[in-house]
Amino acid sequence: MITSSMYLALDFPDWQQTEQFLITNQLNEVPVKVGMELFYREGAEVIKRLRDRGHPVFLDIKLHDIPTTIYKAMKNVAKLDVELTNVHSLGGAEMIKAAKAGLLDGGAGHQTKLLAVTILTSMTGVMLREELRIDEPLADTVVHLAELSQSNGADGVVCSPLEVELIKNQVGPKFLTVTPGIRLAKDDMNEQKRIATPAKARALGADAIVIGRSITQADQPKQAYLVAEKEWTV
Ligand code: C5P
């Protein structure tokens, strides 16, 4: 179980533009996702500001390094009071275990859930095969990485909505699936490849969704937020 379930991706260059967007569109206290763009500019302070304003936070930093470094990094992340954070499952079993241990030892208890990214939703089976020489079908790789993540202490995975059912069937219903690659029906795909609408993600059984440009680049962001929320929660 996670408390929040629709995270708005705050992919803005700095705090000023982030704050302006949230205030202009009266998106008070909505769950948000902070990714690398904003975090690398503003650092931990941005998380504090968002928490002070009542936003639940998913800190999307997709860590991938040697286990010792990941352990120490997650000990620090544990102090930030975020609901979710993540690593790349491709970092392997020891790294995933180290991430979980870091969160626990850093004092986050079970308040901060650890997700592992399976295969980015911008990637395709052809890219896996031709660029990374991973010959297994993409879906098999995703399920394998989900199992690896679960057996090494992750609370869930970041995956495409289209993979939720496979993962739940294989790894069990309690293992969280958080899905980016969400578009409102009328939108551009941008570079995302394996996408779904909020309603489809819900129907497919996702526990939470991440939605960014469909809202942040909309002509009327608040309106788009409400449409996505309604589709997701109905
Ligand atoms: O704008 P859009 O809705 O595509 O934003 C998706 C967000 O989710 C981005 O911040 C991106 O970094 C993140 N994400 C993703 N695919 C993953 C994991 C995270 O698109 N597999």
Side-chain angles (χ1 to χ4, degrees), residues 4-226:
S4 310
S5 65
M6 187 175 104
Y7 293 88
L8 174 63
L10 294 178
D11 293 322
F12 294 105
D14 58 26
W15 172 247
Q16 199 196 345
Q17 291 181 52
T18 306
E19 185 181 40
Q20 193 181 3
F21 177 82
L22 291 171
I23 291 175
T24 309
N25 295 294
Q26 297 179 325
L27 290 164
N28 306 321
E29 300 186 9
V30 303
V32 293
K33 184 184 81 77
V34 173
M36 295 180 199
E37 182 183 8
L38 185 58
F39 193 68
Y40 285 145
R41 176 68 180 260
E42 304 287 355
E45 182 61 26
V46 73
I47 307 299
K48 190 174 176 312
R49 288 186 186 146
L50 289 164
R51 295 293 301 117
D52 287 348
R53 286 161 182 256
H55 295 279
V57 176
F58 169 10
L59 179 58
D60 178 24
I61 40 179
K62 299 189 182 74
L63 298 181
H64 189 167
D65 207 322
I66 59 171
T68 308
T69 303
I70 294 295
Y71 172 77
K72 291 177 180 170
M74 283 300 187
K75 262 180 111 170
N76 280 344
V77 169
K79 319 277 187 251
L80 299 179
D81 186 28
V82 297
E83 280 195 331
L84 299 172
T85 192
N86 57 6
V87 293
H88 272 289
S89 59
L90 287 165
E94 288 309 312
M95 195 202 76
I96 299 167
K97 265 189 214 156
K100 184 68 181 182
L103 285 175
L104 294 174
D105 293 352
H110 293 281
Q111 303 309 314
T112 302
K113 303 259 185 278
L114 177 68
L115 302 176
V117 177
T118 52
I119 297 293
L120 292 169
T121 42
S122 53
M123 297 206 67
T124 63
V126 172
M127 289 157 86
L128 282 192
R129 221 168 29 251
E130 292 182 359
E131 297 176 22
L132 306 182
R133 307 251 172 110
I134 298 176
D135 288 330
E136 297 279 314
L138 186 144
D140 293 2
T141 305
V142 165
V143 170
H144 166 69
L145 291 172
E147 285 176 317
L148 179 83
S149 303
Q150 190 207 33
S151 52
N152 289 286
D155 301 290
V157 280
V158 180
C159 63
S160 156
L162 309 178
E163 289 142 6
V164 168
E165 205 175 346
L166 268 178
I167 292 172
K168 295 272 185 192
N169 285 342
Q170 197 74 21
V171 188
K174 289 206 173 130
F175 192 57
L176 300 172
T177 51
V178 177
T179 64
I182 302 295
R183 290 290 175 270
L184 295 175
K186 59 178 182 35
D187 292 340
D188 273 357
M189 284 167 62
N190 303 110
E191 81 281 22
Q192 297 278 24
K193 303 283 195 305
R194 304 185 334 272
I195 58 168
T197 61
K200 178 125 192 252
R202 161 113 305 180
L204 291 168
D207 295 287
I209 55 174
V210 169
I211 181 163
R213 286 165 289 183
S214 280
I215 292 167
T216 55
Q217 312 283 309
D219 292 336
Q220 293 177 297
K222 176 74 177 217
Q223 182 87 356
Y225 186 91
L226 294 174

